[in-house]
Amino acid sequence: MAYFDAASAAPLHPVARQALLASLDEGWADPARLYREGRRARLLLDAAREAAAEAVGCRADELVFTSSGTRAVHSGMAGALAGRRRVGRHLIVSAVEHSSVLHAAEAHEADGGAVTQVPVDRTGAVEAAAYAAALREDTALACLQSANHEVGTEQPVAQVAEVCRAAGVPLLVDAAQSLGWARVEGDWSLLAGSAHKWGGPSGVGLLVVRKGVRFAPQGPGDERESGRAPGFENLPAIVAAAASLRAVRAEAAQEAARLRELTERIRARVPALVPDVEVVGDPARRLPGVVTFSCLYVDGETLLHELDRAGFSVSSGSSCTSSTLTPSHVLRAMGVLSEGNVRVSLPPGTPAEDVERFLEVLPGTVAAVREKLGAPTEAKAVRADGAVLVVDAIGRRCPVPVIELAKVIGDVPVGGTVRVLSDDEAARLDIPAWCEMRGQEYVGEEPADQGTAYVVRRIT
């Protein structure tokens, strides 16, 4: 089985396993106690903090360990917003942040705060100028991920940090995806990370708050971890997390070059092997092991199941793999195709042979899924007049509305239009994306008795 979902959780690094087992024997006592076992545990905790701080590029007394990356994000945002409440309650986030950031932003807004969401371009990147334009006198905090978890695009953190610093606004960086590869550059103020993203054990996050940043921990007070992460430290996991971070960093430069070559191989060959594919994300400024593409006329959930049966574990941002039946917020913000979406994220050590086998299996797998979906459906095309077709895809989920559009576009003359009736939220993203890929004109939306009418004009 080839595991290609390291962006969700990287396999446990051998160093993490060794450190975890060793610290189970040595680090079980309370590090706050003064007797021998407690002092031994304290030495392990202090050493782990020093190692993690060195990897991050901060002081040891600026870093605390949390119970997860999500907890680090939530604690960091809440503490920074509370610490600057006299300035105001305005929060800035990008449209493609991890759900932990966006959920915290929603809670802040529900509590009376204001939130500005900065848009991204088609590669998933923000512009520093957009953050500068979003800054206000009452801005308390800005947030920006270092690299995107779904498409791998790296963000201009240093430039955004510069404009935020000039305005006196702290910048919180969610570095979960990139921290295993390198330090986050720039004059950021707060940073969050998650050990299971770099090959450490799950259940360990880290939060860095630079000296001089106004910060007020929220919730009941606690004497541990500077009052910023209450509860008894999971010392064996913390030791393993710090040890693995140091280990992966030592291997990062060489492994990054190797994985970039493998993902570039996928980026270049998938469109040549599989027709009607859009490779998404920045082609150059991206994480070493992440490549994402979307396949027209494919049910994402079925495609993932078939790839799993073929021996490949991948993930997807397609609406077809979600119980909400809405596309990934990242793909939606980018305005790219969502149906049949596949994210390949290679863990360190991935053999080139596994990538070659994936490229051999993928074309036939996609073709088989498309064949299953290509049979006539209950969706029907009705000619309204000489130059208009109406496709009724109400009640049909992705990718059926796009498939039916593709079937009938040739039945109208050049300049004629097709109205696709759909109540699937994914159609709002996928029909315009199909038009761009196929050289047709997306006219826009029109009201309909049921769902929405998406109007497409035939150009070619």
Side-chain angles (χ1 to χ4, degrees):
M1 191 74 180
Y3 181 75
F4 286 177
D5 195 22
S8 293
L12 193 67
H13 194 281
V15 168
R17 184 183 300 277
Q18 294 168 7
L20 182 64
L21 293 175
S23 55
L24 285 172
D25 293 330
E26 298 293 328
W28 51 267
D30 187 346
R33 301 302 176 216
L34 299 179
Y35 41 72
R36 180 180 303 171
E37 295 85 355
R39 294 197 306 272
R40 186 185 302 131
R42 187 70 194 183
L43 286 173
L44 289 173
L45 179 59
D46 289 344
R49 198 184 313 278
E50 290 281 354
E54 180 183 3
V56 171
C58 66
R59 293 170 39 155
D61 60 354
E62 294 174 330
L63 184 149
V64 299
F65 293 105
T66 66
S67 59
S68 68
T70 294
R71 174 51 60 190
V73 165
H74 290 172
S75 297
M77 291 179 68
L81 288 167
R84 286 175 48 83
R85 186 158 185 151
R86 289 186 179 181
V87 173
R89 303 198 64 200
H90 179 230
L91 169 67
I92 302 173
V93 300
S94 84
V96 294
E97 294 299 312
H98 187 268
S99 58
S100 61
V101 173
L102 297 183
H103 290 161
E106 291 171 1
H108 176 66
E109 195 168 29
D111 192 42
V115 177
T116 295
Q117 199 170 96
V118 176
V120 297
D121 62 20
R122 196 169 174 83
T123 70
V126 303
E127 293 185 359
Y131 266 75
L135 290 167
R136 307 186 328 201
E137 289 187 1
D138 63 337
T139 301
L141 177 67
C143 299
L144 179 63
Q145 59 191 193
S146 55
N148 187 259
H149 49 291
E150 289 194 26
V151 301
T153 297
E154 295 178 336
Q155 300 291 0
V157 172
Q159 295 93 315
V160 172
E162 184 178 352
V163 300
C164 289
R165 179 69 66 179
V169 174
L171 176 68
L172 184 150
V173 178
D174 172 13
Q177 288 297 338
S178 71
L179 203 53
W181 296 109
R183 290 181 178 181
V184 177
E185 300 297 327
D187 197 9
W188 46 265
S189 301
L190 303 97
L191 180 142
S194 187
H196 75 279
K197 300 288 190 179
W198 66 66
S202 59
V204 180
L206 58 83
L207 170 64
V208 178
V209 182
R210 294 285 200 190
K211 293 296 182 184
V213 175
R214 296 184 65 86
F215 192 89
Q218 299 300 286
D222 193 280
E223 69 277 5
R224 297 181 186 274
E225 293 300 294
S226 304
R228 294 173 181 170
F232 196 93
E233 297 93 345
N234 184 354
L235 188 53
I238 287 172
V239 170
S244 59
L245 181 56
R246 175 180 284 178
V248 298
R249 281 291 189 80
E251 307 160 353
Q254 181 176 356
E255 190 61 18
R258 197 181 71 84
L259 290 185
R260 285 189 190 280
E261 191 280 326
L262 293 178
T263 53
E264 188 57 40
R265 194 181 304 181
I266 297 172
R267 288 183 65 89
R269 289 176 57 187
V270 165
L273 294 169
V274 183
D276 297 315
V277 165
E278 181 179 14
V279 181
V280 301
D282 194 289
R285 289 179 52 85
R286 68 176 192 273
L287 292 170
V290 178
V291 57
T292 305
F293 55 89
S294 299
C295 307
L296 273 174
Y297 320 132
V298 168
D299 173 351
E301 186 169 10
T302 301
L303 180 58
L304 261 60
H305 284 315
E306 291 302 315
L307 287 172
D308 180 50
R309 291 177 54 171
F312 297 96
S313 301
V314 299
S315 64
S316 174
S318 171
S319 62
C320 306
T321 62
S322 168
S323 61
T324 63
L325 293 176
T326 58
S328 146
H329 71 278
V330 172
L331 301 178
R332 188 167 61 245
M334 293 168 61
V336 297
L337 183 70
S338 76
E339 65 185 44
N341 178 261
V342 174
R343 180 187 69 183
V344 173
S345 49
L346 307 178
T350 297
E353 294 78 10
D354 284 355
V355 172
E356 285 300 320
R357 188 166 65 87
F358 176 77
L359 292 170
E360 292 174 3
V361 166
L362 182 67
T365 305
V366 173
V369 174
R370 284 175 171 166
E371 184 178 0
K372 290 178 182 178
L373 293 168
T377 69
E378 294 179 14
K380 51 190 179 298
V382 181
R383 189 174 299 279
D385 57 44
V388 178
L389 279 179
V390 178
V391 172
D392 184 357
I394 297 295
R396 295 290 174 175
R397 299 303 176 191
C398 72
V400 171
V402 180
I403 290 175
E404 294 304 312
L405 167 62
K407 285 181 180 179
V408 302
I409 190 70
D411 294 342
V412 298
V414 172
T417 59
V418 177
R419 298 176 78 248
V420 182
L421 304 179
S422 176
D423 54 0
D424 183 4
E425 181 66 24
R428 180 167 281 111
L429 185 62
D430 290 344
I431 289 176
W434 178 89
C435 291
E436 182 164 330
M437 294 176 70
R438 308 303 290 174
Q440 309 298 347
E441 179 187 355
Y442 178 64
V443 178
E445 300 179 14
E446 294 180 352
D449 292 339
Q450 286 184 280
T452 303
Y454 300 94
V455 183
V456 176
R457 179 175 288 112
R458 182 183 177 190
I459 302 299
T460 60

